[in-house]
Amino acid sequence: MIKYFKEHKLFKIDTLNTTYAFKVVYDKYVSHLYYGKKIANEIKLNEMYNEVPISFAAYPKDIGVDFSLETILTELSFFDNGDIKDVAIKTEYNGSCVTQFEYKDFKIYDGRVVFDDMPYSRNGDKSLEIIYFDKISKIELHSYYVVYYDTDTIVRFIKFINNGSENITLRKAMSMQLDLPTSDYNFGYLVGEYYNERNYLENPINVGKQSIYSKRGHSSHHFNPFAMLKSVGSTETLGDVYGVEFVYSGDFVISVEKTLSKKARLSVGLNDETFSWLLLPNEEFFTPEVIMTYSANGVGQLSRNFHDHLRNNIINPNFVNKKRPIVINSWEATHFDIDEQILIEYAESAKTTGIDTLVIDDGWFGLRNSDNSSLGDWYVNKEKFPNGLKAFSEKIHNLGLNLGIWIEPEMISPDSNLYRKHPEWALGDINRERLLSRKQLVLDLCNDEAINCVAKQIIDTLKDVKLEYIKWDFNRSLSNAYSMALPIERQGEVKHRFQLGSYKLHKILTQAFPDVLFEGCCGGGGRFDAGILFYCPQIWTSDNTDPIDRLKIQYGTNLAYPLSTISAHVSKTKNNDIETDLDIGLRFAVASCGILGYELDLRKFSNKTKQQLLNLNSLYSEIAELIINGDLYRDDNMISVVSKDKKFAYIVFFNFTNSSQFNLYNLGLDKDINYIDTLSGKMLKELLNCNKSFDVKETYKLLLLKEE
Ligand code: GLA
């Protein structure tokens, strides 16, 4: 799995289908050799090392003019040390940012280093640790490669240790770099905005640099910390594709650079524009990790690698395979207009439909009747819940439903008791203007007192309430990031420390409610990332639930994240206000390709529609296991989820023209299995074996296939 070939000073990392290799040259530099389809022969790998002299390049005197760090492929690159491309690491020592790390040693061991303050991939088959050092500052840099053999994934991150006697400052600390010898790739990534998250975009990489990033203090609606390099011409099922996914929820940057000599470099890590870190003697600093994968069989396989990796290693093992609730959430139907009576009527109208959990969304706490107050005051609003939440929960459970509740713990309203008591707990310099967004400020999570105070309030309010689900929201981006809790010389650390504080709060609350399923949310889907998935097994995907828009948003999302994480509700949208306009079937078809729920005022619905919901929810219960565990296959307007043993599959076709031809070839089915579509009673052998297509005239069609 990880081998060191001493004669070539060559490291070879193998997963089930891939090989990754690099070697030490001139005893001090680490040169990347290869990442791609599995290669058995290390001699062949060794021959891939290539030095290309160019004019104007800087070279070390003891090696000579033919060698340059500008032209060899490297595993990591260091600021102002011969490589003028976009480098991975920049440190400041004694006023200078010249960064010179040299190879020192390596370690290979079982398992992996575990993080205690950040999300990470659990398990890990084997680890390789490459140790670099800087002779002058005495900083050590450990670059990690953790192998997940079966999923073809390698996790990468870096640790710095200050072994010297002087302070140093980390100015740029990427988690990984991948140099590729050629550059015929398209850069694929997810862009969006509120109400329109994660649209897939792809463009050829050009000479120069392109990046996607966040500076918003959350991974953001605008870019997602996921990207691909796709060989030109690759498709869903064919071609070389490299993918990276950052296990982090704050400011990030993923950049790709192409050189004139047609090489490519992909880098992933903390956004250096909003990051610096003072490292005192004897201190350590870990970067967040990146999950990296390669598929020789197109984007579909790359997605499945990520899905399996996230399910096996990132999502809380106590929940990953657990049946998820089918919720009815109050937000889209009533917004802040909630109280005990309305919600009980809600629950009563839902209980015959197969919905199993009522979620009280925003508006249950403090004096919260609109979005202009009370964040930070996490006690129940007695006017709305005169008997308290415990008694309310008992009533809901007596009706046969479970209960969920909404919180937004990382925020503070200027109109709140908490703010009146602690204005210095809001992020921003108290002497400057602090900009509002959604009428709120952000709690300074660099401050442990603020974290503990909010956590305690929430725990005290909810600890005696029978609850099965918590929706954790985050409704604005960070601005004016200054912490009153940090000294002047640490203000460059605010963004990352805020993120570590957010993870601390996630840890405290998820540990306080170990049996509760947490769902992440961020003004729709503005924080959909592997970091949040470590604490919240599912995430609200977008406030936009229009089925056509959602198809695009969910497609982008499932490129990187498994269906079991994609929370998808049937609700009215802006143009659809009344029951008759709601094509519930189509909305269900889209939402069923994720974790199904509802946001509708069912009190207004006819018994006929409620019966339709019951039928749809029964169907969903049958496929729920596939959504949680299955393998995803995509084709134009088709989604298929197939069980690992191939005997069970759920397929949805969408047809937005009058009639479309579909076939079943690329949907992950096994030609040797006789499938029956249990919804129509039809056998599918012929369709699967005789290159036949079939016509769909309806807007959507569902197939539920089982082995005959
Ligand atoms: C965000 C969420 C919504 C809802 C509101 C409540 O916008 O995306 O689903 O919870 O906040 O304020």
Side-chain angles (χ1 to χ4, degrees), residues 194 216-221 249-250 375 406-411 427 438 440-443 445 471-479 498-499 502 505-506 519-527 532:
Y194 172 70
R216 294 172 178 269
H218 56 113
S219 47
S220 90
H221 306 82
S249 316
L375 295 167
W406 179 97
I407 56 173
E408 195 182 355
E410 294 147 290
M411 299 290 159
L427 206 61
R438 211 196 188 206
Q440 64 201 51
L441 293 168
V442 182
L443 195 67
L445 301 182
K471 176 175 168 188
W472 180 316
D473 216 333
F474 184 94
N475 270 319
R476 67 158 288 179
S477 302
L478 273 56
S479 60
F498 175 88
Q499 195 47 55
S502 166
L505 190 54
H506 276 86
E519 174 162 321
C521 179
C522 171
R527 199 163 63 169
I532 290 299

Side-chain angles (χ1 to χ4, degrees), residues 1 62 196 202 377 436 687:
M1 204 179 281
D62 55 340
N196 185 20
E202 130 175 9
D377 295 346
L436 295 174
L687 282 176

Side-chain angles (χ1 to χ4, degrees), residues 194 329 331-332 336 361-362 368 371 406 408 438 471 473 475 521-525 540 542-543 599:
Y194 172 70
N329 178 303
W331 181 250
E332 290 297 333
F336 293 99
D361 207 279
D362 198 352
R368 182 99 165 156
D371 58 8
W406 179 97
E408 195 182 355
R438 211 196 188 206
K471 176 175 168 188
D473 216 333
N475 270 319
C521 179
C522 171
W540 180 230
S542 175
D543 278 356
E599 303 201 22

Side-chain angles (χ1 to χ4, degrees), residues 609-637:
T609 313
K610 285 189 189 165
Q611 181 61 43
Q612 188 189 1
L613 287 184
L614 179 63
N615 297 343
L616 293 171
N617 290 334
S618 312
L619 168 62
Y620 188 77
S621 298
E622 270 195 74
I623 61 154
E625 197 189 312
L626 280 176
I627 301 297
I628 299 281
N629 296 314
D631 284 334
L632 174 69
Y633 292 83
R634 297 171 293 243
D635 208 337
D636 288 345
N637 293 321

